[in-house]
Amino acid sequence: MIGKTNAIAVSGGGVELKIVVSVTSGALVTATKGPLSVQGTSVNGTATLTVPEAGTWSVSATLNEETTNTVIINVTESFPAELLFIDPILNNNSWETIRKVSDLGIASNYWSVGDRKAVVLNGSVGSSAEFNKVTAYAYIIGFDHNENKEGGNRIHFQLGFSSLSGGSNVCYVDSYYNSYTSIYTLFNINNSNTNVGGWNASRMRTDVFGQDKESLTNTLMGAIPADLRTALKSVTKYTNNVGKDKTEAAVTATTDYFFLLSEHELFGSIANANTYEGSYQEQYAYYSAGNTKVKRKHTATSETAIYWLRSAAVSGDTMFVICNTSGNVSYNGARTSLGIAPGFCV
Amino acid sequence: MYKIISGGQIVGYSETIVYIKLHGNGCYVPCAKSEAEGFCIKPAVEIDTETRLVDTVYALTDSGLSGAEPTGEVEEISGTLQIAFIENVFNTIVGSLPVNISAEKALLLRSKIEEAIQALDLPFSDASEIPELYPTLRQTGALVPYRTIIRWTDGGLYMAAQDLWDLESNDPAHHPGGWVKIKYRDGIRVVPETISGAEAFSFGELGWWGDTLYKSIRAGEKTNIHTPAQWPEGWELQG
């Protein structure tokens, strides 16, 4: 049962409405509502007043000719309650249920890092990747990850795995993988070799992923099922959003529905990014547990793939950080089409 | 800070540790220490000439996790004391007051120490006390002259029994005939059944023959290639 009440049930039906006040012992507490008035004396620091009806009551107290402030209390006879059936197998729950459990901050009581749920991708993403009802398995990479900076009550997922159990950890590639052209919207960070503006200004963030729930044309936002789109929560991500800048001031926030992991979020250390990113980010629990960082092409799981991270490589103004086919950190010119492994929150 | 021990040897240190178990779908999941099948640590690893912190998984028992991971145990130590210990060792070696030193400078210092030890041509009894300071093979293709002492991956010291090129095909594992493993007991060499030229004993040098201690009395440096059994006149029984 989910919900809160300030009333307690009594025998014989109905409810007895009480106001419980914390105040100095001996104080005379008065609750008034229009012509109605109820009084009681505080014992052991608490006064309990039984009021005859619901509504807005004004409560104050007096002691030794001194009067306290007045507190307005809304006493209600009805209160919302919702019962949820929560399946311990993540994949058996709807995105709507997952969202509600996430809202209550109790997701980690039911599910585990690494749990997977099927997501059917359908439609074009960018101009060179067509998903024709491709079943991806999103997996949990953290609960309330870095919540002080990114927001609480969030389950962080990443796409994806090739199957519900076992299978390959994959990234998504388009038909221009490991090459480039400036004509199309590819799985590159930008259409030219620049990291100016960092993640915030990148084409990947807006044109490929889509950062509002109305940007559905040729975006990942448009390719996910509507029920997942409804359940998505935005998340605050801190990244170097300047480019070739090693100062702390370069690390600023974006609000994202989809994001690439940063170097620190994947590796738990920084070799190529602005080192101050590490002060604003945490390594995801899935990866700090030692799971492989090697990903394979979703189109050919026998082949490992290079995939993008959202951190600009600060050694120059053309590169972003990548994870190479050995699972190690490196960097690459921003215009090259590589794999993407998007993260999102519910 | 954590010290990681695997196969009876210290394999690394880590600032962090995450206890893990295996998920039903095959991935690792963080968990409480009490239910852990293994752990993930971040030791410093050299990748492409750069030192990186790399997530590395160990199972706590042979049957833990997937069974494919190496087994290891972890010991929590004081990072402050560890750093102080390393600095003390360093300062003792270089005979200096505490200084800041870069990784590049430390590597240079190390190579100079290795060169100096080779140049000293220390007797084996001294070598046994400082095996860590002898160089190891790096597959550089460089010449390894006859009688060069190296440190090998099994923790032992080996002497080149001939001129060798520093190649994988010539290392003690792949070309055992090119090397002589130096065996010691209590800092004194064990006399081999067959003494090669590289292993020859010098005048006055002690050697264990079985459980009996002898002293080589053949005149000259590295001249005695006969065991006490083969040539008793070349050895003097020690009381």
Side-chain angles (χ1 to χ4, degrees):
Chain A
M1 181 168 166
I2 298 165
K4 291 183 177 178
T5 177
N6 60 350
I8 58 171
V10 294
S11 61
V15 290
E16 186 176 69
L17 303 172
K18 290 183 176 179
I19 298 173
V20 180
V21 181
S22 296
V23 66
T24 307
S25 297
L28 178 64
V29 180
T30 303
T32 59
K33 176 176 178 282
L36 301 176
S37 179
V38 177
Q39 288 190 318
T41 303
S42 173
V43 177
N44 295 329
T46 301
T48 302
L49 308 181
T50 301
V51 294
E53 63 182 41
T56 302
W57 290 79
S58 299
V59 181
S60 62
T62 57
L63 179 65
N64 299 329
E65 298 181 354
E66 290 186 13
T67 303
T68 66
N69 59 314
T70 298
V71 176
I72 306 300
I73 296 175
N74 187 30
V75 179
T76 181
E77 278 185 298
S78 63
F79 46 90
E82 184 175 16
L83 303 177
L84 285 175
F85 289 103
I86 304 169
D87 195 310
I89 298 173
L90 178 72
N91 194 49
N92 293 343
N93 297 276
S94 68
W95 284 113
E96 181 185 11
T97 298
I98 294 169
R99 166 70 188 245
K100 287 176 179 173
V101 174
S102 171
D103 286 344
L104 293 166
I106 56 175
S108 62
N109 295 344
Y110 294 92
W111 306 309
S112 163
V113 165
D115 279 1
R116 303 176 193 174
K117 177 164 175 60
V119 177
V120 178
L121 301 175
N122 194 32
S124 299
V125 180
S127 52
S128 298
E130 182 69 27
F131 293 91
N132 186 14
K133 295 183 179 176
V134 172
T135 300
Y137 290 88
Y139 55 102
I140 295 175
I141 53 177
F143 294 100
D144 295 336
H145 169 85
N146 196 20
E147 64 177 323
N148 290 336
K149 290 190 170 60
E150 302 189 18
N153 290 357
R154 281 167 170 75
I155 309 171
H156 292 238
F157 289 87
Q158 191 174 22
L159 286 169
F161 260 87
S162 61
S163 60
L164 188 58
S165 183
S168 299
N169 193 333
V170 298
C171 59
Y172 299 88
V173 297
D174 65 17
S175 57
Y176 276 83
Y177 175 77
N178 215 10
S179 62
Y180 66 90
T181 171
S182 60
I183 300 172
Y184 303 120
T185 304
L186 304 181
F187 286 0
N188 52 15
I189 302 289
N190 289 307
N191 263 8
S192 61
N193 275 339
T194 177
N195 62 21
V196 174
W199 166 245
N200 183 38
S202 70
R203 277 185 55 267
M204 174 70 72
R205 179 171 173 270
T206 51
D207 297 357
V208 178
F209 284 171
Q211 293 298 355
D212 70 71
K213 293 185 179 181
E214 309 304 319
S215 299
L216 304 183
T217 305
N218 296 335
T219 61
L220 182 60
M221 183 68 82
I224 60 171
D227 58 346
L228 171 56
R229 193 179 310 125
T230 301
L232 285 181
K233 289 179 180 175
S234 64
V235 62
T236 302
K237 284 293 181 185
Y238 283 84
T239 317
N240 163 15
N241 287 315
V242 175
K244 190 182 72 173
D245 191 324
K246 299 179 181 178
T247 68
E248 184 171 9
V251 181
T252 56
T254 54
T255 302
D256 298 335
Y257 281 112
F258 288 105
F259 55 89
L260 294 171
L261 269 62
S262 70
E263 181 179 352
H264 193 263
E265 286 171 345
L266 182 68
F267 293 102
S269 59
I270 291 179
N272 297 312
N274 179 318
T275 54
Y276 286 103
E277 284 192 0
S279 302
Y280 293 83
Q281 303 167 353
E282 289 180 1
Q283 186 180 22
Y284 272 105
Y286 181 84
Y287 292 105
S288 65
N291 287 295
T292 182
K293 297 168 180 74
V294 174
K295 297 188 189 296
R296 296 171 180 276
K297 294 179 181 177
H298 84 281
T299 51
T301 55
S302 61
E303 297 178 31
T304 54
I306 307 165
Y307 60 96
W308 285 115
L309 302 176
R310 74 172 188 275
S311 303
V314 293
S315 57
D317 54 13
T318 61
M319 308 277 193
F320 276 80
V321 182
I322 60 164
C323 181
N324 66 22
T325 54
S326 301
N328 296 321
V329 68
S330 189
Y331 45 81
N332 204 94
R335 69 182 180 183
T336 307
S337 175
L338 299 173
I340 57 172
F344 63 88
C345 291
V346 169
Chain B
M1 180 178 281
Y2 301 90
K3 179 167 70 179
I4 315 304
I5 301 163
S6 182
Q9 294 192 324
I10 298 169
V11 292
Y13 296 88
S14 176
E15 291 283 356
T16 61
I17 184 167
V18 176
Y19 287 98
I20 57 174
K21 61 183 179 182
L22 202 63
H23 191 291
N25 66 22
C27 74
Y28 302 126
V29 183
C31 67
K33 184 178 180 180
S34 58
E35 55 180 337
E37 300 171 39
F39 57 88
C40 179
I41 45 111
K42 275 187 172 59
V45 175
E46 195 164 305
I47 300 174
D48 299 334
T49 72
E50 292 186 25
T51 302
R52 305 260 169 79
L53 302 177
V54 176
D55 291 311
T56 308
V57 170
Y58 288 90
L60 287 168
T61 63
D62 288 340
S63 59
L65 300 176
S66 72
E69 302 83 0
T71 57
E73 54 188 295
V74 62
E75 179 184 333
E76 188 166 5
I77 59 173
S78 162
T80 304
L81 292 177
Q82 186 69 10
I83 291 169
F85 171 74
I86 291 168
E87 286 191 343
N88 282 340
V89 169
F90 170 78
N91 290 327
T92 302
I93 290 172
V94 302
S96 72
L97 296 171
V99 293
N100 290 322
I101 184 169
S102 65
E104 291 77 13
K105 185 69 184 287
L107 287 171
L108 178 63
L109 190 62
R110 163 98 204 179
S111 69
K112 295 299 179 188
I113 291 170
E114 291 177 356
E115 284 177 22
I117 285 178
Q118 292 292 346
L120 284 171
D121 194 20
L122 293 174
F124 297 140
S125 54
D126 289 342
S128 72
E129 295 177 358
I130 51 170
E132 297 82 4
L133 293 181
Y134 278 83
T136 191
L137 297 178
R138 300 183 188 281
Q139 299 179 19
T140 60
L143 176 67
V144 181
Y146 173 58
R147 281 187 167 161
T148 298
I149 297 174
I150 63 140
R151 171 176 47 90
W152 189 234
T153 53
D154 60 4
L157 290 172
Y158 287 77
M159 173 180 278
Q162 60 192 85
D163 283 349
L164 294 161
W165 301 111
D166 185 354
L167 301 170
E168 183 183 21
S169 57
N170 284 335
D171 69 28
H174 293 85
H175 182 42
W179 301 89
V180 176
K181 184 168 186 177
I182 304 170
K183 295 179 180 176
Y184 287 93
R185 192 192 314 157
D186 301 330
I188 297 171
R189 274 207 294 162
V190 174
V191 180
E193 293 286 342
T194 302
I195 307 173
S196 67
E199 297 172 288
F201 280 74
S202 299
F203 178 81
E205 187 177 354
L206 297 173
W208 288 107
W209 181 244
D211 291 329
T212 308
L213 190 60
Y214 285 87
K215 181 167 72 177
S216 175
I217 55 174
R218 178 169 183 169
E221 291 292 306
K222 299 175 182 173
T223 53
N224 193 349
I225 57 169
H226 299 290
T227 68
Q230 291 167 329
W231 187 44
E233 294 80 2
W235 295 88
E236 180 180 273
L237 181 64
Q238 300 300 292

